[in-house]
Amino acid sequence: MKSLQQLCRPNIWSLSPYSSARNEYSGHTAHVFLDANENPYNAPLNRYPDPLQQEVKNKLEKIKGIPASNIFLGNGSDEAIDLPYRIFCEPKIDNVVAIEPTYGMYKVCADINNVEYRPVLLDDNFQTTSEKLLGACDEHTKLIWICSPNNPTGNLIHRETILSVIDRFEGIVIVDEAYSDFSSEQPLRARLGKYPNLIVLNTMSKAWGMAAIRMGMAFASEEIIGLFNKVKYPYNINQLAQEQALEALNDPFGVDEWVRLLLRERGRVMTAFRELPICTKVYPTEANFFLACMTDAQTIYDYLVSKGIIVRNRTHVALCGNCLRVTVGKKGENNELLAALRQYQV
């Protein structure tokens, strides 16, 4: 890969980050805080939170098997998606490459940052090759986005393809593993030490059931994490979110049980979908959702909405014509969905 200084925008490389009050006395014990213009009343909510969320990262280190110094916590994964554009991509000059179809925020952030977005269409099995992805790159390509398990398709992108891209690309490869907790494949973050140009994303929103607190994760080299921390807003994770995350991280075995229940329900619901006359195909998945091709996705979607049941209509997404994306819910929710579909009249 190119050096980080070569990849980074010059203004970001030379940026002097904002110095938060809570960082300046780091390493010392303090009990009187008269530095940050805070109200002394209404403790503990009157104080600014830890800007680097060290306690949360220390717990994640034990659970994820990644040193705290290699972890960035963002305001949702959306912040961790946006920051690489702001750090590495010069607007109107640089570009990024991504698989298509995939999670829509990669393109939205490219558009917001005025960076060219180059989609590479997957094949009929929702796979690609390193040659196709690298063939879409030029000297101004800074990032390659790969979501695996992919959204909305649910499948894993072949690991050998991803590793070939990482080995051969001179820029940064970002692998979004938001759904890896539901997958049978070992997360790629386990190989982080071997690849200095790799960023792996994860989240508290899916397996951990914490979507409301908006906490995303990025795992990368200490140097890349340093750039993330330089550019992020000083107090990007609020105190209440940090406390909720710490409470959840105390019970990883409870999350394992949720995952086990969801995987069992996923298999049951997918089997039931295959038996529906209005379903023509159910695609394999390694996530907590699946993609189903229907006889008339829009009409069936509208029918489900009228019953108060919301799934995701993906019929206008590339390669997903007449497809619904169905999240696996609790058994009762899944039964209500299946009952409604069995009563559907063509």
Side-chain angles (χ1 to χ4, degrees), residues 80-317:
I81 291 169
D82 182 56
L83 281 174
Y85 286 99
R86 295 164 61 192
I87 293 168
F88 298 110
C89 298
E90 200 69 62
K92 298 184 180 181
I93 296 175
D94 292 326
N95 65 74
V96 305
V97 167
I99 59 175
E100 175 75 12
T102 195
Y103 182 44
M105 278 304 296
Y106 311 143
K107 184 178 188 307
V108 170
C109 286
D111 292 343
I112 290 171
N113 288 281
N114 204 7
V115 172
E116 181 189 357
Y117 184 86
R118 298 182 175 184
V120 175
L121 194 66
L122 298 175
D123 63 24
D124 291 340
N125 295 314
F126 299 137
Q127 293 293 339
T128 188
T129 65
S130 56
E131 284 71 24
K132 287 181 180 178
L133 289 171
L134 295 171
C137 301
D138 62 19
E139 67 273 17
H140 293 295
T141 306
K142 291 293 187 68
L143 311 173
I144 295 179
W145 293 94
I146 303 174
C147 187
S148 181
N150 192 23
N151 178 12
T153 60
N155 66 296
L156 290 163
I157 303 301
H158 291 320
R159 179 58 58 89
E160 57 268 27
T161 297
I162 297 175
L163 294 180
S164 177
V165 170
I166 298 170
D167 280 328
R168 298 163 62 190
F169 183 51
E170 292 187 334
I172 303 294
V173 179
I174 307 173
V175 180
D176 191 341
E177 294 188 331
Y179 301 96
S180 61
D181 295 284
F182 304 99
S183 171
S184 58
E185 189 171 63
Q186 185 186 40
L188 195 57
R189 67 174 181 269
R191 304 196 192 185
L192 199 63
K194 185 178 178 181
Y195 301 108
N197 62 330
L198 173 64
I199 299 173
V200 177
L201 304 185
N202 200 225
T203 178
M204 295 289 289
S205 295
K206 308 305 179 184
W208 289 86
M210 301 290 285
I213 73 169
R214 309 306 303 125
M215 187 173 290
M217 312 169 207
F219 307 102
S221 69
E222 288 189 36
E223 292 76 17
I224 290 177
I225 296 300
L227 290 171
F228 271 57
N229 289 331
K230 178 190 277 194
V231 176
K232 79 174 183 70
Y233 293 120
Y235 303 104
N236 60 326
I237 306 292
N238 70 69
Q239 184 62 32
L240 298 178
Q242 292 188 44
E243 290 173 1
Q244 288 294 316
L246 287 169
E247 183 177 340
L249 292 169
N250 281 331
D251 188 21
F253 300 108
V255 174
D256 292 341
E257 177 63 12
W258 288 346
V259 170
R260 186 186 67 81
L261 291 171
L262 287 169
L263 292 180
R264 185 173 66 190
E265 275 297 286
R266 184 181 74 184
R268 183 180 74 90
V269 177
M270 291 174 68
T271 297
F273 257 74
R274 293 187 186 99
E275 296 171 354
L276 292 170
I278 56 174
C279 178
T280 60
K281 183 173 183 178
V282 178
Y283 291 92
T285 183
E286 294 270 347
N288 67 329
F289 64 85
F290 61 91
L291 196 67
C293 188
M294 313 300 285
T295 53
D296 188 343
Q298 184 63 58
T299 302
I300 295 169
Y301 171 81
D302 293 339
Y303 163 76
L304 289 173
V305 170
S306 73
K307 298 289 186 181
I309 302 170
I310 310 301
V311 296
R312 196 77 192 270
N313 185 5
R314 300 283 77 189
T315 193
H316 299 300
V317 173

